[in-house]
Amino acid sequence: MLNRRNRLILLKTISLISIVRGYNILVIVLAQYLAAIYILSPNLPLREVILDSNLFVIVLSSALVIAGGYIINSFYDSEKDLINKPQKSMLDRLVRQRTKIYAYFVLNFIGVLLASYVSFKAALFFASYVFGIWLYSHRLKKIAFLGNFVSATLAIAPFFAVFVYYRNFELVIFVHALFLFLLILSREMVKDMENIAGDLAQNYRTLPVRYGNRFTKWCISALILLALIPAFLLIRYFDVGYMYLYFIACSLLLLLFLFLLWRSSTKEHYVWLHNIIKFIIVSGVFGILLIDVDLVLNRIL
């Protein structure tokens, strides 16, 4: 049995992992490496990609800065989360606000410092990324649509750091990025409907607060229909291997999402819609392996 002190340390560790959303960061790290291996450098030996110190530093810097972003976001949203996520908020509050700020600066400093190992441009990119996350958390997230747009942009920015590193600017990558961007933007708007109670209490001027859920649903519907366009292009005009099966399944799931969206009216419904989009995004990470199944098998075997 754990004594009281060890139990408190364990709870604080779990709280910190909850704040930085370690599971999200693991998915992002995995996505960056899979993209590097199977999309951006399919002709390079697996060992060479995995042992690339510059790629490792870019991925590690991304993880540290994103973790810092979650911390500053939790810092500014602490009062709102008490309303929207009371159980999670109570767990997060085991870590003091002062400790959060200290961890925020340390993680960002180390992230930018490590990026300088790759190049000055990489350090400048991550320093700008840190500033962008702070500006979003402090002010922009309270503004209707602009906050959603900036959040979605920040979410895909770490992947562009890897694309730039490999100097791979093929059109298929941007079409795929557009699909992902539209999904993330839709998810952000669903989250606003899910968290409307806390946003109202803290005077956040989100889309549901300013214009109502019905208008927000029209915006989400438009984004989902727009997302079907890059999905169709990737199926029809680009060589994505067996990943076309993923995009077909996603298109069908997004149509189901639209049906459920207009029948939703409670927070529980919006949580389900949020999870549907999250499932599509996370499954897309593993869907990268379908681009070249033979390459995957050869590298595994």
Side-chain angles (χ1 to χ4, degrees), residues 3 21 30 72 120 126 156 210 214 220 228 248 272:
N3 59 40
R21 302 184 190 180
L30 179 62
I72 198 65
F120 173 76
F126 281 104
I156 65 173
R210 290 196 62 181
R214 184 175 178 81
I220 295 171
L228 294 176
I248 291 175
W272 272 100

Side-chain angles (χ1 to χ4, degrees), residues 101-120:
I101 290 297
Y102 177 76
Y104 167 73
F105 282 109
V106 169
L107 289 171
N108 285 328
F109 175 77
I110 296 175
V112 175
L113 183 65
L114 286 174
S116 66
Y117 166 82
V118 178
S119 69
F120 173 76

Side-chain angles (χ1 to χ4, degrees), residues 182-183 185-191 193 216-217 219-225 249-264 269-278 280:
L182 292 170
L183 287 183
L185 187 54
S186 301
R187 184 194 65 178
E188 293 301 313
M189 292 184 183
V190 172
K191 284 170 62 178
M193 292 195 295
T216 306
K217 287 181 180 182
C219 292
I220 295 171
S221 298
L223 291 171
I224 294 299
L225 292 174
C250 283
S251 298
L252 296 174
L253 194 53
L254 288 174
L255 292 175
L256 174 62
F257 172 90
L258 285 178
F259 173 76
L260 295 174
L261 173 65
W262 285 98
R263 295 178 63 86
S264 299
H269 293 158
Y270 299 133
V271 169
W272 272 100
L273 293 173
H274 179 190
N275 288 333
I276 289 174
I277 296 185
K278 181 183 286 189
I280 293 174

